[in-house]
Amino acid sequence: MRHLVRAAAIGAVVLVTAGGAMAAGEIAARQEAMKGAGGAMKAIKAAVESGKAADAVAPAEKIAATMHKVTALFPKGSDVGETDAKPEIWQDWAKFEKAAADAAAAAEKLAAVAKTDDPFATGDALKALGGTCGACHKPFRKPKT
């Protein structure tokens, strides 16, 4: 009986450790994806400021692709560890999904507008995309310290 209890305890520790490692990997993957989206935003801003709006197409498409998969980057159980994700993501999943979809749509619109090579219209579309980012970050991301 003692051996069975010991084995069960060891199994529980292994599962918790493995779950923590999986969550850490998921957290790292989403942080990398979000950093990539942030870098793409900077590239879009530079394209607009240089008057070469067409250079914003690829980064906008990158953001759209990231936003289309963003909900998959936040599986249940990935809220533990070094993450800026708030529990509200999982508590109000429908709102989170909508915020991600809105950001993807704004990024797709930005890419379409950038193809016209109009820096003013592209700048406006960039602002709209930024608004969708803030609409998600405010309720779902811990403030930066």
Side-chain angles (χ1 to χ4, degrees):
M1 183 68 168
R2 279 192 328 213
H3 296 295
L4 182 60
V5 171
R6 232 184 256 154
I10 290 170
V13 168
V14 168
L15 285 175
V16 168
T17 303
M22 286 180 11
E26 291 162 341
I27 291 167
R30 76 170 166 245
Q31 288 172 342
E32 188 65 29
M34 294 301 179
K35 285 179 186 173
M41 289 287 287
K42 289 178 184 173
I44 295 167
K45 183 178 181 205
V48 168
E49 289 174 349
S50 71
K52 298 178 182 178
D55 291 348
V57 174
E61 289 173 342
K62 177 180 182 173
I63 294 169
T66 299
M67 293 304 107
H68 280 297
K69 67 179 183 180
V70 78
T71 55
L73 295 171
F74 290 83
K76 287 185 180 185
S78 66
D79 57 337
V80 178
E82 293 190 34
T83 179
D84 290 331
K86 288 181 172 180
E88 285 84 345
I89 290 172
W90 298 275
Q91 293 167 359
D92 196 350
W93 188 254
K95 183 177 177 183
F96 180 68
E97 284 181 312
K98 170 118 174 50
D102 289 348
E108 288 172 357
K109 182 175 180 180
L110 172 58
V113 170
K115 288 176 183 175
T116 68
D117 205 21
D118 178 342
F120 298 107
T122 303
D124 289 342
L126 176 61
K127 287 178 189 171
L129 174 59
T132 66
C133 294
C136 190
H137 288 175
K138 287 178 186 173
F140 297 120
R141 186 181 76 180
K142 295 174 187 169
K144 296 284 185 183
T145 56

